[in-house]
Amino acid sequence: MFSASEITLFALTMAAGQFTPGPDLLLILKNVLNHGLRTGLFTVAGICTGVAVHAFLAVTGLAILIHRWPDAFRLFRVTGALYLIWIAVQLARSAWHRSAKTPASGTRKPRAFSPSNAYLEGLVTNLTNPKVVLFFSFMISQFVGPDPLERAVYGSIIVLEAALLWPLFAWLMQRRPVREAFLRRQRLWNVSFAALLFAVAAHLLLGNQA
């Protein structure tokens, strides 16, 4: 039976793992700083939905099946990489057009971005992130036994952490000093976000060839 110390260790490790630099964190930063807290929270909702799916697959053992079909997993990696490239291209184009048409301003209002698009972007980015599949599967295999109740508890911890910590992160990134600093260098930050997303996609594609 699981203990309080094991649950605490699992929760801390999962929190650290979810907040390591990756597509989810970059996407939240991009949408919160460019479009505001509301859009950021819809992005978070999409990510949390993806986390719930990944957690379910991990605790039921279905994620292990991915490793039994390497070709399917490689296709999964490529799909995720291509989607990140698409987001990065859109972001880079937006930064280019904004620079050509609008001078930098700390008072400029964020461009409209529909809640459904923000949610879908968060959902697809998380679902196609192979790091999440591998990390969740590894963590569950290390801590969780065959007991269904134990699996439900650990799976719930994963989802609850995402639902609590990601909105808090989005809120902190929306604080006035952070946002004003971002708006003063909005084009530079967006180009940087695009470059990082390209780098993550390249890592996925190169890893697929390894």
Side-chain angles (χ1 to χ4, degrees):
M1 188 63 177
F2 51 90
S3 65
S5 60
E6 288 180 341
I7 289 179
T8 301
L9 178 60
F10 177 82
L12 291 175
T13 306
M14 289 302 305
Q18 291 193 52
F19 277 88
T20 54
D24 292 344
L25 185 142
L26 289 173
L27 190 65
I28 293 172
L29 278 174
K30 173 184 81 73
N31 285 349
V32 169
L33 293 175
N34 280 289
H35 309 293
L37 181 60
R38 182 170 180 266
T39 297
L41 291 178
F42 274 101
T43 305
V44 167
I47 290 172
C48 288
T49 303
V51 167
V53 173
H54 283 304
F56 173 78
L57 293 177
V59 299
T60 57
L62 296 180
I64 299 174
L65 297 178
I66 294 176
H67 301 285
R68 298 185 179 179
W69 285 278
D71 290 339
F73 189 60
R74 282 193 287 269
L75 178 61
F76 183 76
R77 290 173 67 97
V78 170
T79 301
L82 293 178
Y83 186 71
L84 292 180
I85 289 173
W86 183 82
I87 295 176
V89 168
Q90 300 304 310
L91 186 58
R93 289 180 58 190
S94 174
W96 176 264
H97 291 311
R98 181 178 291 112
S99 174
K101 296 179 181 180
T102 309
S105 170
T107 60
R108 183 169 59 253
K109 293 182 179 180
R111 180 174 59 86
F113 193 65
S114 73
S116 59
N117 284 341
Y119 177 86
L120 184 62
E121 201 171 67
L123 175 63
V124 175
T125 297
N126 185 269
L127 287 179
T128 58
N129 185 358
K131 184 195 81 169
V132 179
V133 177
L134 296 173
F135 183 70
F136 282 18
S137 298
F138 173 78
M139 290 299 298
I140 290 294
S141 68
Q142 298 302 307
F143 284 88
V144 181
D147 182 10
L149 176 60
E150 186 178 6
R151 288 178 172 269
V153 169
Y154 280 100
S156 298
I157 290 173
I158 295 173
V159 177
L160 287 174
E161 279 192 338
L164 294 173
L165 296 179
W166 280 125
L168 177 60
F169 175 74
W171 179 81
L172 289 173
M173 291 301 100
Q174 181 62 20
R175 295 304 85 200
R176 184 173 178 178
V178 176
R179 185 166 185 79
E180 288 182 347
F182 169 78
L183 288 174
R184 284 195 294 269
R185 296 289 186 272
Q186 187 170 4
R187 178 172 177 262
L188 176 61
W189 279 108
N190 283 340
V191 170
S192 299
F193 288 148
L196 288 170
L197 289 171
F198 274 123
V200 173
H203 174 73
L204 292 178
L205 291 174
L206 291 175
N208 180 67
Q209 299 299 324

Coordinates of all heavy atoms in Angstrom, one line a residue, residues 33-108:
L33 N 1.4 36.0 -22.6 CA 2.0 37.3 -22.8 C 1.5 38.0 -24.0 O 1.5 39.2 -24.1 CB 3.5 37.1 -22.9 CG 4.2 36.6 -21.6 CD1 5.7 36.3 -21.8 CD2 4.0 37.6 -20.5
N34 N 1.1 37.3 -25.1 CA 0.7 37.9 -26.3 C -0.8 38.2 -26.3 O -1.3 39.2 -26.8 CB 1.0 37.0 -27.5 CG 2.4 37.1 -28.0 OD1 2.8 38.1 -28.5 ND2 3.2 36.0 -27.7
H35 N -1.6 37.4 -25.6 CA -3.1 37.5 -25.7 C -3.8 37.7 -24.4 O -5.0 37.9 -24.4 CB -3.6 36.3 -26.4 CG -2.9 35.9 -27.7 ND1 -3.0 36.7 -28.8 CD2 -2.1 34.9 -28.1 CE1 -2.3 36.2 -29.8 NE2 -1.8 35.1 -29.4
G36 N -3.1 37.6 -23.3 CA -3.8 37.9 -22.0 C -4.1 36.6 -21.2 O -4.0 35.5 -21.7
L37 N -4.5 36.8 -20.0 CA -4.7 35.7 -19.0 C -5.8 34.8 -19.5 O -5.7 33.6 -19.3 CB -5.0 36.3 -17.6 CG -5.2 35.3 -16.5 CD1 -4.0 34.4 -16.4 CD2 -5.6 36.0 -15.2
R38 N -6.9 35.4 -20.0 CA -8.1 34.5 -20.4 C -7.7 33.5 -21.4 O -8.0 32.3 -21.3 CB -9.2 35.4 -20.9 CG -10.5 34.7 -21.3 CD -11.6 35.6 -21.6 NE -12.8 35.0 -22.0 CZ -13.2 34.8 -23.2 NH1 -12.4 35.2 -24.2 NH2 -14.3 34.1 -23.5
T39 N -6.9 34.0 -22.5 CA -6.5 33.1 -23.5 C -5.5 32.0 -22.9 O -5.5 30.9 -23.2 CB -5.8 33.8 -24.6 OG1 -6.7 34.7 -25.2 CG2 -5.2 32.9 -25.7
G40 N -4.6 32.5 -22.0 CA -3.7 31.6 -21.3 C -4.4 30.5 -20.6 O -4.0 29.3 -20.6
L41 N -5.5 30.9 -19.9 CA -6.2 29.9 -19.1 C -7.0 28.8 -20.0 O -7.1 27.7 -19.6 CB -7.2 30.6 -18.2 CG -6.6 31.4 -17.0 CD1 -7.7 32.0 -16.2 CD2 -5.8 30.5 -16.1
F42 N -7.4 29.3 -21.2 CA -8.0 28.3 -22.1 C -6.9 27.4 -22.6 O -7.2 26.2 -22.9 CB -8.7 29.0 -23.2 CG -10.2 29.4 -22.9 CD1 -10.5 30.7 -22.5 CD2 -11.2 28.5 -23.0 CE1 -11.8 31.0 -22.2 CE2 -12.5 28.8 -22.6 CZ -12.8 30.1 -22.3
T43 N -5.7 27.9 -22.9 CA -4.6 27.1 -23.3 C -4.3 26.1 -22.2 O -4.1 24.9 -22.5 CB -3.4 28.0 -23.5 OG1 -3.7 29.0 -24.5 CG2 -2.2 27.1 -24.1
V44 N -4.3 26.5 -20.9 CA -4.1 25.6 -19.8 C -5.1 24.5 -19.7 O -4.8 23.4 -19.5 CB -4.0 26.4 -18.5 CG1 -4.1 25.5 -17.3 CG2 -2.8 27.3 -18.4
A45 N -6.4 24.9 -20.0 CA -7.5 23.9 -20.0 C -7.2 22.8 -21.0 O -7.5 21.6 -20.7 CB -8.8 24.6 -20.2
G46 N -6.8 23.2 -22.2 CA -6.4 22.2 -23.2 C -5.3 21.3 -22.8 O -5.4 20.1 -23.0
I47 N -4.3 21.9 -22.2 CA -3.1 21.1 -21.7 C -3.6 20.2 -20.6 O -3.2 19.0 -20.6 CB -2.0 22.1 -21.2 CG1 -1.4 22.8 -22.4 CG2 -1.0 21.3 -20.4 CD1 -0.4 23.9 -22.0
C48 N -4.4 20.7 -19.7 CA -4.9 19.8 -18.6 C -5.7 18.6 -19.1 O -5.7 17.5 -18.6 CB -5.7 20.6 -17.6 SG -4.6 21.7 -16.6
T49 N -6.5 18.9 -20.2 CA -7.3 17.8 -20.8 C -6.3 16.7 -21.3 O -6.5 15.5 -21.1 CB -8.2 18.3 -21.9 OG1 -9.0 19.3 -21.4 CG2 -9.0 17.2 -22.5
G50 N -5.3 17.2 -22.0 CA -4.3 16.3 -22.5 C -3.6 15.5 -21.4 O -3.3 14.3 -21.5
V51 N -3.3 16.2 -20.3 CA -2.6 15.6 -19.1 C -3.5 14.5 -18.6 O -3.1 13.4 -18.2 CB -2.3 16.6 -18.0 CG1 -2.0 15.9 -16.7 CG2 -1.2 17.5 -18.5
A52 N -4.8 14.7 -18.5 CA -5.8 13.7 -18.0 C -5.8 12.5 -18.9 O -5.8 11.4 -18.4 CB -7.2 14.3 -17.9
V53 N -5.7 12.7 -20.2 CA -5.7 11.6 -21.1 C -4.4 10.8 -20.9 O -4.4 9.5 -20.8 CB -5.8 12.0 -22.6 CG1 -5.5 10.9 -23.6 CG2 -7.1 12.7 -22.9
H54 N -3.2 11.5 -20.9 CA -2.0 10.8 -20.6 C -1.9 10.1 -19.3 O -1.4 8.9 -19.2 CB -0.8 11.8 -20.7 CG -0.4 12.3 -22.0 ND1 -0.1 11.4 -23.0 CD2 -0.4 13.5 -22.6 CE1 0.2 12.1 -24.1 NE2 0.0 13.4 -23.9
A55 N -2.5 10.7 -18.3 CA -2.5 10.0 -16.9 C -3.4 8.7 -17.0 O -3.0 7.7 -16.4 CB -3.1 11.0 -15.9
F56 N -4.5 8.8 -17.7 CA -5.3 7.6 -17.8 C -4.6 6.5 -18.5 O -4.6 5.3 -18.1 CB -6.6 8.0 -18.6 CG -7.5 6.8 -18.9 CD1 -8.3 6.2 -17.9 CD2 -7.5 6.2 -20.1 CE1 -9.0 5.1 -18.2 CE2 -8.2 5.1 -20.4 CZ -9.0 4.5 -19.4
L57 N -3.9 6.8 -19.6 CA -3.2 5.8 -20.4 C -2.0 5.2 -19.5 O -1.8 4.0 -19.6 CB -2.6 6.5 -21.6 CG -3.6 6.9 -22.7 CD1 -2.9 7.5 -23.9 CD2 -4.4 5.7 -23.2
A58 N -1.4 6.1 -18.7 CA -0.3 5.6 -17.9 C -0.7 4.7 -16.8 O -0.1 3.6 -16.6 CB 0.5 6.8 -17.3
V59 N -1.8 5.1 -16.1 CA -2.2 4.2 -15.0 C -2.9 3.0 -15.4 O -3.0 2.0 -14.7 CB -3.2 5.0 -14.0 CG1 -2.5 6.2 -13.4 CG2 -4.5 5.4 -14.7
T60 N -3.5 2.9 -16.6 CA -4.1 1.7 -17.1 C -3.1 0.8 -17.9 O -3.5 -0.3 -18.3 CB -5.3 2.0 -18.0 OG1 -4.8 2.9 -19.1 CG2 -6.4 2.7 -17.3
G61 N -1.9 1.3 -18.1 CA -0.9 0.5 -18.7 C -0.9 0.6 -20.2 O -0.1 0.0 -20.9
L62 N -1.8 1.4 -20.8 CA -1.9 1.4 -22.3 C -0.7 2.1 -22.9 O -0.4 1.8 -24.1 CB -3.2 2.1 -22.7 CG -4.5 1.4 -22.3 CD1 -5.7 2.2 -22.8 CD2 -4.6 0.0 -22.9
A63 N -0.1 3.0 -22.2 CA 1.1 3.7 -22.8 C 2.2 2.8 -23.1 O 3.0 3.1 -24.0 CB 1.6 4.8 -21.8
I64 N 2.3 1.7 -22.4 CA 3.4 0.7 -22.6 C 3.3 0.1 -24.1 O 4.3 -0.2 -24.7 CB 3.3 -0.4 -21.6 CG1 3.5 0.1 -20.2 CG2 4.4 -1.5 -21.9 CD1 3.3 -0.9 -19.1
L65 N 2.0 0.1 -24.6 CA 1.9 -0.5 -25.9 C 2.6 0.3 -27.0 O 3.0 -0.3 -28.0 CB 0.3 -0.5 -26.2 CG -0.5 -1.4 -25.3 CD1 -2.0 -1.3 -25.8 CD2 0.0 -2.9 -25.4
I66 N 2.8 1.6 -26.7 CA 3.5 2.4 -27.7 C 4.9 1.9 -28.0 O 5.4 1.9 -29.1 CB 3.6 3.9 -27.2 CG1 2.2 4.5 -27.2 CG2 4.5 4.7 -28.1 CD1 2.1 5.9 -26.6
H67 N 5.5 1.4 -27.0 CA 6.9 0.9 -27.1 C 6.9 -0.4 -27.9 O 8.0 -0.9 -28.3 CB 7.5 0.7 -25.7 CG 7.6 2.0 -24.9 ND1 8.4 3.0 -25.2 CD2 6.8 2.4 -23.9 CE1 8.2 4.0 -24.4 NE2 7.3 3.7 -23.6
R68 N 5.8 -1.1 -28.0 CA 5.8 -2.4 -28.7 C 5.6 -2.2 -30.2 O 5.8 -3.2 -30.9 CB 4.7 -3.3 -28.1 CG 4.9 -3.6 -26.7 CD 3.8 -4.6 -26.1 NE 4.1 -4.9 -24.7 CZ 3.3 -5.7 -24.0 NH1 2.3 -6.3 -24.6 NH2 3.6 -5.9 -22.7
W69 N 5.3 -1.0 -30.6 CA 5.2 -0.7 -32.0 C 6.1 0.5 -32.3 O 5.5 1.7 -32.4 CB 3.7 -0.5 -32.4 CG 3.0 -1.7 -32.5 CD1 2.9 -2.6 -33.6 CD2 2.1 -2.3 -31.5 NE1 2.1 -3.7 -33.2 CE2 1.6 -3.5 -32.0 CE3 1.8 -1.9 -30.2 CZ2 0.7 -4.3 -31.2 CZ3 0.9 -2.7 -29.5 CH2 0.4 -3.9 -30.0
P70 N 7.4 0.4 -32.5 CA 8.3 1.5 -32.7 C 7.9 2.4 -33.9 O 8.0 3.6 -33.8 CB 9.6 0.8 -33.0 CG 9.5 -0.5 -32.4 CD 8.1 -0.9 -32.5
D71 N 7.4 1.8 -35.0 CA 7.0 2.7 -36.1 C 5.8 3.6 -35.7 O 5.8 4.8 -36.1 CB 6.5 1.8 -37.3 CG 7.7 1.1 -37.9 OD1 8.9 1.5 -37.7 OD2 7.5 0.0 -38.6
A72 N 4.9 3.1 -34.9 CA 3.8 4.0 -34.5 C 4.3 5.1 -33.6 O 3.8 6.3 -33.7 CB 2.7 3.1 -33.8
F73 N 5.2 4.8 -32.7 CA 5.8 5.8 -31.8 C 6.6 6.8 -32.6 O 6.5 8.0 -32.3 CB 6.7 5.2 -30.8 CG 7.1 6.1 -29.7 CD1 6.1 6.8 -28.9 CD2 8.4 6.4 -29.5 CE1 6.5 7.7 -27.9 CE2 8.8 7.3 -28.5 CZ 7.9 7.9 -27.7
R74 N 7.3 6.4 -33.7 CA 8.1 7.4 -34.5 C 7.1 8.3 -35.2 O 7.3 9.5 -35.4 CB 8.9 6.6 -35.5 CG 10.2 6.1 -34.9 CD 11.2 5.6 -36.0 NE 10.8 4.4 -36.6 CZ 11.1 3.2 -36.1 NH1 11.9 3.1 -35.1 NH2 10.7 2.1 -36.8
L75 N 6.0 7.7 -35.7 CA 5.0 8.6 -36.4 C 4.4 9.6 -35.4 O 4.2 10.7 -35.7 CB 3.9 7.7 -36.9 CG 2.7 8.4 -37.6 CD1 3.2 9.2 -38.8 CD2 1.6 7.4 -38.0
F76 N 4.2 9.1 -34.2 CA 3.7 10.0 -33.1 C 4.7 11.2 -32.9 O 4.2 12.3 -32.8 CB 3.5 9.2 -31.8 CG 2.9 9.9 -30.7 CD1 1.6 10.2 -30.6 CD2 3.8 10.3 -29.6 CE1 1.1 10.9 -29.5 CE2 3.2 11.0 -28.5 CZ 1.9 11.3 -28.5
R77 N 5.9 10.9 -32.8 CA 7.0 11.9 -32.6 C 7.0 12.9 -33.8 O 7.0 14.1 -33.6 CB 8.3 11.3 -32.5 CG 8.6 10.5 -31.2 CD 9.9 9.8 -31.2 NE 11.0 10.8 -31.2 CZ 11.7 11.1 -30.1 NH1 11.3 10.6 -29.0 NH2 12.7 11.9 -30.2
V78 N 6.9 12.4 -35.0 CA 6.9 13.3 -36.2 C 5.7 14.2 -36.2 O 5.8 15.4 -36.5 CB 7.0 12.4 -37.5 CG1 6.7 13.3 -38.7 CG2 8.3 11.7 -37.6
T79 N 4.5 13.6 -35.9 CA 3.3 14.4 -35.8 C 3.4 15.6 -34.8 O 3.1 16.7 -35.1 CB 2.1 13.5 -35.4 OG1 1.9 12.5 -36.4 CG2 0.8 14.4 -35.4
G80 N 3.9 15.3 -33.6 CA 4.1 16.3 -32.6 C 5.1 17.4 -33.1 O 4.9 18.6 -32.9
A81 N 6.2 17.0 -33.7 CA 7.2 17.9 -34.2 C 6.6 18.8 -35.3 O 6.9 20.0 -35.3 CB 8.4 17.1 -34.8
L82 N 5.9 18.2 -36.2 CA 5.3 19.1 -37.3 C 4.3 20.1 -36.8 O 4.2 21.2 -37.3 CB 4.6 18.1 -38.4 CG 5.6 17.2 -39.2 CD1 4.8 16.4 -40.1 CD2 6.6 18.1 -39.9
Y83 N 3.5 19.7 -35.8 CA 2.6 20.6 -35.2 C 3.3 21.8 -34.5 O 2.9 22.9 -34.6 CB 1.7 19.9 -34.2 CG 0.6 20.8 -33.7 CD1 -0.5 21.2 -34.5 CD2 0.6 21.3 -32.4 CE1 -1.5 22.0 -34.0 CE2 -0.4 22.1 -31.9 CZ -1.4 22.5 -32.7 OH -2.4 23.3 -32.2
L84 N 4.4 21.5 -33.8 CA 5.2 22.5 -33.2 C 5.8 23.5 -34.2 O 5.9 24.7 -34.0 CB 6.3 21.9 -32.3 CG 5.8 21.2 -31.0 CD1 7.1 20.6 -30.3 CD2 5.0 22.1 -30.1
I85 N 6.3 22.9 -35.3 CA 6.8 23.7 -36.4 C 5.7 24.7 -36.9 O 6.0 25.8 -37.2 CB 7.4 22.8 -37.5 CG1 8.7 22.2 -37.0 CG2 7.6 23.7 -38.8 CD1 9.2 21.1 -38.0
W86 N 4.5 24.2 -37.1 CA 3.4 25.0 -37.6 C 3.2 26.2 -36.6 O 3.0 27.3 -37.1 CB 2.1 24.1 -37.7 CG 1.0 24.9 -38.3 CD1 0.7 25.2 -39.6 CD2 -0.1 25.5 -37.5 NE1 -0.4 25.9 -39.7 CE2 -0.9 26.2 -38.5 CE3 -0.4 25.6 -36.2 CZ2 -2.1 26.8 -38.1 CZ3 -1.5 26.3 -35.8 CH2 -2.3 26.9 -36.7
I87 N 3.1 25.9 -35.3 CA 2.9 27.0 -34.3 C 4.1 28.0 -34.4 O 3.9 29.2 -34.4 CB 2.8 26.4 -32.9 CG1 1.6 25.5 -32.8 CG2 2.8 27.5 -31.9 CD1 1.5 24.9 -31.4
A88 N 5.3 27.5 -34.5 CA 6.5 28.4 -34.6 C 6.4 29.3 -35.8 O 6.8 30.4 -35.8 CB 7.8 27.5 -34.6
V89 N 6.0 28.7 -37.0 CA 5.9 29.5 -38.2 C 4.9 30.6 -38.0 O 5.1 31.7 -38.4 CB 5.6 28.6 -39.4 CG1 5.2 29.4 -40.6 CG2 6.8 27.7 -39.7
Q90 N 3.7 30.2 -37.5 CA 2.7 31.3 -37.3 C 3.2 32.4 -36.4 O 2.9 33.6 -36.6 CB 1.4 30.6 -36.7 CG 0.8 29.5 -37.6 CD 0.5 30.0 -39.0 OE1 -0.2 31.1 -39.1 NE2 0.9 29.3 -40.0
L91 N 3.9 32.0 -35.3 CA 4.4 33.0 -34.4 C 5.5 33.9 -35.0 O 5.5 35.1 -34.8 CB 5.0 32.3 -33.1 CG 5.4 33.1 -32.0 CD1 4.3 34.0 -31.5 CD2 6.0 32.3 -30.9
A92 N 6.4 33.3 -35.8 CA 7.4 34.1 -36.5 C 6.8 35.0 -37.5 O 7.2 36.2 -37.6 CB 8.4 33.1 -37.1
R93 N 5.8 34.6 -38.2 CA 5.1 35.4 -39.2 C 4.4 36.6 -38.5 O 4.5 37.7 -38.9 CB 4.1 34.6 -40.0 CG 4.7 33.6 -41.0 CD 3.6 32.9 -41.7 NE 2.7 33.8 -42.4 CZ 1.6 33.4 -43.0 NH1 1.2 32.1 -42.9 NH2 0.8 34.3 -43.7
S94 N 3.8 36.3 -37.4 CA 3.1 37.3 -36.6 C 4.1 38.4 -36.1 O 3.9 39.6 -36.2 CB 2.4 36.7 -35.4 OG 1.9 37.7 -34.6
A95 N 5.3 37.9 -35.6 CA 6.3 38.9 -35.1 C 6.8 39.7 -36.3 O 7.1 40.9 -36.1 CB 7.5 38.1 -34.5
W96 N 7.0 39.1 -37.5 CA 7.5 39.9 -38.6 C 6.5 40.9 -39.1 O 6.9 42.1 -39.3 CB 7.8 38.9 -39.8 CG 8.2 39.6 -41.0 CD1 7.4 39.9 -42.1 CD2 9.5 40.0 -41.4 NE1 8.1 40.6 -43.0 CE2 9.4 40.6 -42.6 CE3 10.7 39.9 -40.7 CZ2 10.6 41.2 -43.3 CZ3 11.9 40.5 -41.3 CH2 11.8 41.1 -42.6
H97 N 5.2 40.6 -39.2 CA 4.2 41.5 -39.6 C 4.0 42.6 -38.6 O 3.8 43.8 -38.9 CB 2.9 40.8 -39.9 CG 2.9 39.9 -41.1 ND1 3.4 40.3 -42.3 CD2 2.5 38.6 -41.3 CE1 3.3 39.4 -43.2 NE2 2.8 38.3 -42.6
R98 N 4.1 42.3 -37.3 CA 3.9 43.3 -36.3 C 5.0 44.3 -36.3 O 4.8 45.5 -36.1 CB 3.8 42.6 -34.9 CG 3.6 43.6 -33.8 CD 3.5 42.9 -32.4 NE 2.3 42.1 -32.3 CZ 2.3 40.8 -32.3 NH1 3.4 40.1 -32.3 NH2 1.1 40.2 -32.2
S99 N 6.2 43.8 -36.6 CA 7.4 44.7 -36.6 C 7.3 45.6 -37.8 O 7.7 46.8 -37.8 CB 8.7 43.9 -36.8 OG 9.8 44.7 -37.0
A100 N 6.7 45.1 -39.0 CA 6.7 45.9 -40.2 C 5.6 47.0 -40.1 O 5.7 48.0 -40.7 CB 6.4 45.0 -41.4
K101 N 4.5 46.7 -39.3 CA 3.3 47.6 -39.3 C 3.2 48.5 -38.1 O 2.6 49.5 -38.1 CB 2.1 46.8 -39.5 CG 2.0 46.0 -40.8 CD 0.7 45.2 -40.9 CE 0.6 44.4 -42.2 NZ -0.6 43.6 -42.3
T102 N 3.7 48.0 -36.9 CA 3.4 48.6 -35.7 C 4.6 48.9 -34.9 O 5.4 47.9 -34.6 CB 2.4 47.8 -34.8 OG1 1.3 47.4 -35.6 CG2 1.9 48.5 -33.6
P103 N 4.9 50.1 -34.4 CA 6.0 50.3 -33.5 C 5.8 49.7 -32.2 O 4.7 49.5 -31.7 CB 6.0 51.9 -33.4 CG 4.6 52.3 -33.7 CD 4.1 51.3 -34.7
A104 N 6.9 49.4 -31.5 CA 6.8 48.8 -30.2 C 6.1 49.8 -29.2 O 6.3 51.0 -29.2 CB 8.2 48.5 -29.7
S105 N 5.3 49.2 -28.4 CA 4.5 50.0 -27.4 C 4.2 49.2 -26.2 O 3.7 48.1 -26.3 CB 3.3 50.6 -28.1 OG 2.5 51.2 -27.1
G106 N 4.4 49.8 -25.0 CA 4.0 49.1 -23.8 C 2.5 49.2 -23.5 O 2.0 48.5 -22.6
T107 N 1.7 49.9 -24.3 CA 0.3 50.1 -24.0 C -0.5 49.3 -25.1 O -1.7 49.4 -25.1 CB -0.1 51.6 -24.0 OG1 0.2 52.1 -25.3 CG2 0.7 52.3 -22.9
R108 N 0.1 48.6 -26.1 CA -0.6 48.0 -27.1 C -1.5 46.8 -26.6 O -1.0 46.0 -25.7 CB 0.4 47.4 -28.1 CG -0.3 46.8 -29.3 CD 0.7 46.5 -30.5 NE 1.7 45.6 -30.0 CZ 3.0 46.0 -29.8 NH1 3.3 47.3 -29.9 NH2 3.9 45.2 -29.4

